[in-house]
Amino acid sequence: MERFTGFIAGLGTSAGRRLVVGHWMDSPLGAFTDVMTEDRDGLRTLLAPHRAVADYVSATYRFDDVVVAPLDASLSPAGERSAEPGNEPGTAALVLRVSGGPLELRADLGPLTALGWMLQLVPARMAVHPAWLTAVNRAAGILLPGVATAGSAGGGRREYYGVRSIRGVERAAASWDGAGLGPLAPVDPPVRFGFSSVPRTPQAVAVTTTILPARR
């Protein structure tokens, strides 16, 4: 079993580019940040900080292009220590910054949403357990169309998203190859990297992703 603990932020831009940022504090590959992005024409690109991440993520999701480049990233309240999944401030705004390769991004995250507060009531061990995430998979898709909590990770593996809290993305400024991407927009159409999109409304979640190996 492999587990990645951190944050996923999903947002759209008026230029049509949609961005999914994975900001991982703990994983089998160490701490890292990666970005999955799809442009207006449907071209799917992975930004990875080094080859090991690029190879692992490319084996799990689908891309048309992979860019390996150092990524400088942070997620923290202004003037405070970095946030930790499941233990981030409930009222203070957070700022997500990512810089590297063709991407420059700043996203301002608001306080926990009502659903985010409710998710924190689920016991931590249950919230990330594959059996629980399989059971709530259909309900997740009803609450957030296009979203799934359990599905295929390729090669016979299974993947599970255990979300611990949710924040809205209130503002964002981003550029790609030096060209501004315009104001924040819904993630529409949904992204097509794996079995699940992110919600249409720009959001950031504290999450534990679990990948189980193929059964022998």
Side-chain angles (χ1 to χ4, degrees), residues 131-148:
W132 166 259
L133 295 170
T134 299
V136 301
N137 185 46
R138 180 169 295 183
I142 294 172
L143 284 172
L144 300 168
V147 172

Side-chain angles (χ1 to χ4, degrees), residues 5 16 39 44 46 53 59 82 101 111 119-120 126 136 144 158 174 178 193 207 213:
T5 302
D39 69 11
R44 297 165 296 184
L46 168 67
V53 169
S82 295
L119 288 171
Q120 290 198 325
M126 177 184 292
V136 301
L144 300 168
R158 296 290 295 173
F193 308 117
V207 63

Side-chain angles (χ1 to χ4, degrees), residues 31-35 46-54 67-72:
F32 70 93
T33 298
D34 67 316
V35 181
L46 168 67
L47 303 184
H50 53 76
R51 178 51 57 185
V53 169
V67 176
V68 178
L71 293 176
D72 183 20

Side-chain angles (χ1 to χ4, degrees), residues 8-137:
I8 295 176
L11 59 102
T13 67
S14 63
R17 184 173 291 278
R18 288 138 288 150
L19 301 162
V20 179
V21 179
H23 186 60
W24 306 105
M25 284 74 167
D26 184 45
S27 84
L29 301 172
F32 70 93
T33 298
D34 67 316
V35 181
M36 306 179 196
T37 176
E38 186 170 351
D39 69 11
R40 185 186 297 276
D41 297 324
L43 181 72
R44 297 165 296 184
T45 302
L46 168 67
L47 303 184
H50 53 76
R51 178 51 57 185
V53 169
D55 290 345
Y56 187 96
V57 177
S58 295
T60 306
Y61 303 97
R62 298 183 297 274
F63 303 99
D64 304 299
D65 190 22
V66 176
V67 176
V68 178
L71 293 176
D72 183 20
S74 65
L75 176 64
S76 61
E80 298 183 23
R81 63 181 176 82
S82 295
E84 297 177 359
N87 191 35
E88 70 274 19
T91 57
L94 295 175
V95 179
L96 171 65
R97 295 181 176 88
V98 182
S99 176
L103 177 67
E104 295 285 340
L105 169 67
R106 174 189 167 124
D108 296 333
L109 315 183
L112 295 182
T113 65
L115 180 56
W117 281 110
M118 292 176 61
L119 288 171
Q120 290 198 325
L121 300 177
V122 179
R125 293 184 66 181
M126 177 184 292
V128 302
H129 197 285
W132 166 259
L133 295 170
T134 299
V136 301
N137 185 46

Side-chain angles (χ1 to χ4, degrees), residues 159-176:
E159 184 173 16
Y160 304 88
Y161 295 122
V163 174
R164 300 300 321 285
S165 67
I166 303 173
R167 294 171 177 266
V169 178
E170 297 185 336
R171 291 171 297 278
S175 64
W176 187 265

